[in-house]
Amino acid sequence: MENIYMPDPMEVVEVKQQTADIKLIRIKFRDPEKNANFKFNIGQFGLYSVFGVGESTFNICCSNSKDYIEFCFRKTGRVTERLWDVEPGDTIGFRGPFGNSYPMKEWEGKNLVFVAGGIAMPPIRCAILYALENRDKYGKITIVYGARTVNDLVCKDELDEWAQYPNVDVLKTVDVAPPEGTPWNGRVDFVPTVLKDSNITGDNAVALVVGPPIMIKLSLPILVEAGFKDEDIFTSLENRMKCGLGKCGRCNCGSVYVCKEGPVFTQADIKNMPNDY
Amino acid sequence: MSHIITLEQLKKTLADKISSGAQVVAPTLRGELAFFQKIDDVNQAVLEPRVRFQNSIKEFFFPRHETIFSFVRQGSDVQLVDAPEFDVEQIVVGARPCDAASLPILDPLFAWDYQDRFFQSRRAKSTVVVFACKTSDAHCFCTAVGGAPDSTNGADAILFALDDGSFEVRCVTDKGKALFSGKTQESDKTGAACAPPSVDFDVEKIATWIRGNFASPVWEEISYRCVGCGACAFVCPTCHCFDIVDEGSYSKGKRVKNWDSCQTVLFTLHASGHNPRATQGARQRQRMMHKFVIYPDKFNAKLCTGCGACSRSCGVSFGVRPALEELAKVANQSENN
């Protein structure tokens, strides 16, 4: 029988440092056949391992049209400390894809509102990249993204690239003003404030909101006021996971397993779940 | 007409299995404490019904520490070597009915979408023989969760100890029949289990209360009796939450599954420092919810066999039965209001 806990060896193809403590890593299956056949849906996650150190859970943050996988992490624990040091050519492990995904098909024809804070950009980036690759299938795209400081913004260069697409608004903001003389073409405000000023409307639109709990808490009323229904507000939850397969027993919120029934939930789903996240 | 096996014949049956290369797991004594362990000599086995064991037979299906794979780093590449599949016959004898009852409860969890071959291969290779209970103690509450002193859930055969040291054998499955075929004599003696333990709480009523009271202060209150050591999970036949960790060095080592417990702080601690279950009350709530709400929702079975091992092993006299008794009080109150 197959070993469901067995990762695949992956070659590190590229490492891009994003901030002082965040990196984005691009990997490919060492087995070319597996690499060619690998498929995932936007919003799914994987378990990435440094052999001898351990496994961690991250969203697959690239679009699914590529022949590689990208993920983003903050150097913050035992596994990520070691991931920080990997270089192109090194081997790491991957298991996945796991979990449900963003309903990109159902979103076709609608306006998309993406709201992210800090390290929560990667789980939204996959949806943004997919929507931009399929630009004609979606209506207006509004991206509201903020971080504590300019130096904490992830995918900083890409934000400006995305803004070049037709009918795409990228609203960047930072909590703390950069030191005088630092080039900054965004705002200095909290994400919910920028969202409020963005003139979005819930008519024929969906919102994907990922970020720190306080950002989500303050953004939700603004979306509701703009006419978004609970069924149209999506998020990607994270809870500590070990197996990703619905067995190890720690990522659940009540009877909902984030690894299997999530990580993508609507606000309507979340209202029916106990607050265990 | 019943079927009887003498103690000598039972020992011979097990001894023959050991000689044939099977792994035989039986109750053994270390001082006064009884453990299930793999035996090499049938005389190590203490073949009599007993209430208190220091471990569950769970560990012979879901080991406390199990290698998933090993790895060797070779330059920039890493070679992965899959763990060998369990493929010896295993006979587990002398389990309590409430201990064996955990096995069919755990089957769907390990087969839910993704097939866990580690549990499943051991299940497929094993024959489980239970001893019907002759006594119960104040920790027992199998009757509250659908069990009984002579329950055959998860058992391939049940043995009833008779006064003369022999056992009445009742085979439940083909595996049980195969084990005892030709080993028994027909007789008119029959065995009987002890009376079912008495309980004065209704688990269904408590489960209903739990569903509606996620935010109740009762969870914190009952958790004052818990020190969060996690011993209850380790002796529990149904607790199955596990950790996955790497052992060895950066260049050579293995990845293992280890038992874990929802009662520890680290269980759900995020890398960010956020912990969804930051208090012992939240963790007690998770434990009781998992057993009486979540698992029934997911797999249509309670994640508890009423064996009482948790409270028997608890250093501060807590455990599932004391928790249920506390919750029954508030459930009854809220029903009366």
Side-chain angles (χ1 to χ4, degrees):
Chain A
M1 256 176 105
E2 192 201 355
N3 181 348
I4 53 173
Y5 306 102
M6 186 75 141
D8 280 301
M10 311 293 286
E11 181 187 348
V12 174
V13 184
E14 204 179 305
V15 180
K16 285 189 215 164
Q17 184 157 355
Q18 301 285 318
T19 73
D21 59 0
I22 295 173
K23 279 186 178 180
L24 185 145
I25 294 185
R26 180 179 294 179
I27 53 177
K28 281 184 170 190
F29 288 82
R30 285 256 178 225
D31 177 351
E33 200 180 326
K34 272 200 168 156
N35 203 61
N37 294 331
F38 179 74
K39 287 189 172 50
F40 72 95
N41 296 320
I42 302 296
Q44 288 192 288
F45 66 91
L47 280 121
Y48 305 78
S49 47
V50 181
F51 297 106
V53 184
E55 265 184 326
S56 285
T57 314
F58 310 108
N59 161 272
I60 304 174
C61 71
C62 56
S63 167
N64 55 5
S65 63
K66 309 296 185 194
D67 64 344
Y68 54 75
I69 292 169
E70 284 179 335
F71 67 99
C72 204
F73 66 95
R74 169 174 278 149
K75 184 167 72 164
T76 187
R78 209 172 47 208
V79 175
T80 49
E81 291 274 345
R82 206 63 192 246
L83 267 180
W84 189 260
D85 296 333
V86 304
E87 293 174 346
D90 285 348
T91 299
I92 66 167
F94 174 81
R95 289 195 289 130
F98 297 134
N100 69 351
S101 55
Y102 303 128
M104 299 307 297
K105 273 262 173 264
E106 285 171 34
W107 290 356
E108 285 178 9
K110 296 186 176 180
N111 297 332
L112 306 179
V113 177
F114 296 110
V115 185
I119 182 79
M121 173 46 87
I124 285 189
R125 176 181 182 258
C126 52
I128 294 174
L129 293 176
Y130 181 92
L132 294 178
E133 280 173 12
N134 299 277
R135 187 66 199 90
D136 53 333
K137 290 186 183 159
Y138 299 96
K140 184 178 171 67
I141 296 177
T142 307
I143 300 167
V144 182
Y145 176 48
R148 278 193 303 266
T149 72
V150 173
N151 291 336
D152 294 313
L153 288 163
V154 181
C155 311
K156 217 180 303 178
D157 305 341
E158 286 175 282
L159 293 172
D160 293 332
E161 282 171 36
W162 299 338
Q164 303 303 311
Y165 280 82
N167 209 13
V168 175
D169 275 355
V170 177
L171 309 169
K172 301 184 288 188
T173 185
V174 290
D175 300 351
V176 181
E180 210 139 317
T182 312
W184 174 238
N185 57 357
R187 285 179 57 171
V188 178
D189 241 322
F190 293 118
V191 166
T193 313
V194 177
L195 180 67
K196 196 174 174 65
D197 298 344
S198 69
N199 293 324
I200 48 154
T201 148
D203 296 337
N204 193 36
V206 294
L208 172 56
V209 187
V210 190
I214 186 68
M215 185 209 86
I216 295 182
K217 190 179 167 191
L218 297 175
S219 297
L220 286 175
I222 295 164
L223 291 168
V224 170
E225 203 175 308
F228 287 83
K229 293 191 286 293
D230 286 345
E231 295 75 25
D232 297 328
I233 303 172
F234 293 77
T235 192
S236 180
L237 278 190
E238 62 171 23
N239 253 356
R240 187 170 188 171
M241 293 174 193
K242 287 291 179 173
C243 70
L245 307 160
K247 310 209 185 294
C248 78
R250 73 193 67 221
C251 71
N252 64 298
C253 301
S255 297
V256 177
Y257 276 69
V258 174
C259 69
K260 276 179 61 74
E261 286 131 285
V264 179
F265 296 99
T266 66
Q267 187 55 21
D269 298 329
I270 287 182
K271 280 188 174 169
N272 285 323
M273 284 158 53
N275 180 4
D276 215 6
Y277 43 84
Chain B
M1 191 61 69
S2 65
H3 298 273
I4 302 292
I5 191 167
T6 62
L7 181 59
E8 281 316 301
Q9 184 61 45
L10 177 59
K11 282 185 167 181
K12 186 173 181 311
T13 304
L14 297 176
D16 289 347
K17 282 292 180 188
I18 295 172
S19 325
S20 75
Q23 174 166 310
V24 174
V25 172
T28 60
L29 283 178
R30 290 180 221 164
E32 289 178 356
L33 303 180
F35 290 82
F36 287 102
Q37 70 172 63
K38 175 178 179 282
I39 55 169
D40 306 314
D41 176 349
V42 74
N43 291 317
Q44 293 171 267
V46 184
L47 297 169
E48 57 197 35
R50 165 183 308 273
V51 175
R52 181 169 191 148
F53 285 95
Q54 301 305 115
N55 61 343
S56 155
I57 61 166
K58 168 178 80 174
E59 70 182 71
F60 300 96
F61 297 87
F62 172 52
R64 63 182 68 192
H65 177 82
E66 181 167 42
T67 301
I68 301 171
F69 64 86
S70 51
F71 73 91
V72 185
R73 206 172 282 276
Q74 290 168 331
S76 61
D77 204 358
V78 177
Q79 294 301 318
L80 303 179
V81 182
D82 199 352
E85 205 163 327
F86 186 88
D87 71 343
V88 294
E89 184 187 10
Q90 175 167 265
I91 312 289
V92 179
V93 65
R96 302 174 69 206
C98 49
D99 202 352
S102 67
L103 299 171
I105 294 174
L106 290 176
D107 280 335
L109 180 273
F110 287 110
W112 184 34
D113 255 21
Y114 300 95
Q115 308 293 317
D116 179 302
R117 76 153 198 244
F118 297 92
F119 182 82
Q120 290 184 354
S121 55
R122 284 186 166 82
R123 275 288 270 154
K125 289 281 179 184
S126 300
T127 303
V128 179
V129 180
V130 299
F131 286 171
C133 295
K134 293 302 259 183
T135 51
S136 63
D137 70 9
H139 301 279
C140 291
F141 64 103
C142 60
T143 32
V145 287
D150 58 355
S151 162
T152 55
N153 284 336
D156 295 295
I158 183 166
L159 268 52
F160 293 80
L162 301 173
D163 293 342
D164 61 3
S166 61
F167 297 89
E168 186 204 341
V169 180
R170 294 184 204 163
C171 293
V172 183
T173 67
D174 289 343
K175 277 183 183 172
K177 283 179 195 153
L179 182 64
F180 290 108
S181 165
K183 307 291 191 323
T184 57
Q185 302 138 25
E186 293 196 341
S187 162
D188 52 6
K189 287 191 228 169
T190 54
C194 63
S198 64
V199 287
D200 55 1
F201 50 86
D202 177 348
V203 168
E204 297 304 332
K205 199 192 278 181
I206 295 166
T208 304
W209 182 88
I210 293 175
R211 280 179 194 281
N213 288 278
F214 189 82
S216 167
V218 167
W219 297 115
E220 281 307 320
E221 285 161 21
I222 67 167
S223 78
Y224 295 149
R225 291 176 65 180
C226 173
V227 294
C229 71
C232 49
F234 288 5
V235 295
C236 175
T238 60
C239 274
H240 57 266
C241 292
F242 60 88
D243 197 1
I244 296 177
V245 292
D246 286 17
E247 293 189 344
S249 69
Y250 189 65
S251 53
K252 191 177 155 196
K254 59 185 183 174
R255 183 161 294 164
V256 299
K257 272 162 78 177
N258 287 338
W259 287 354
D260 208 343
S261 166
C262 60
Q263 294 309 295
T264 64
V265 181
L266 285 176
F267 190 66
T268 51
L269 181 65
H270 290 196
S272 65
H274 170 66
N275 193 345
R277 300 181 201 136
T279 63
Q280 202 59 42
R283 297 190 282 272
Q284 271 295 328
R285 176 182 63 205
Q286 163 64 18
R287 182 168 168 77
M288 297 304 278
M289 278 186 75
H290 197 187
K291 292 195 174 298
F292 300 106
V293 173
I294 297 169
Y295 209 83
D297 278 355
K298 282 273 174 283
F299 303 114
N300 203 24
K302 292 179 192 72
L303 194 63
C304 177
T305 64
C307 71
C310 50
S311 51
R312 246 174 245 119
S313 296
C314 181
V316 290
S317 303
F318 199 45
V320 173
R321 180 170 182 156
L324 284 172
E325 285 167 347
E326 288 299 321
L327 295 177
K329 290 182 203 162
V330 287
N332 288 334
Q333 265 170 22
S334 71
E335 202 184 47
N336 296 338
N337 287 342

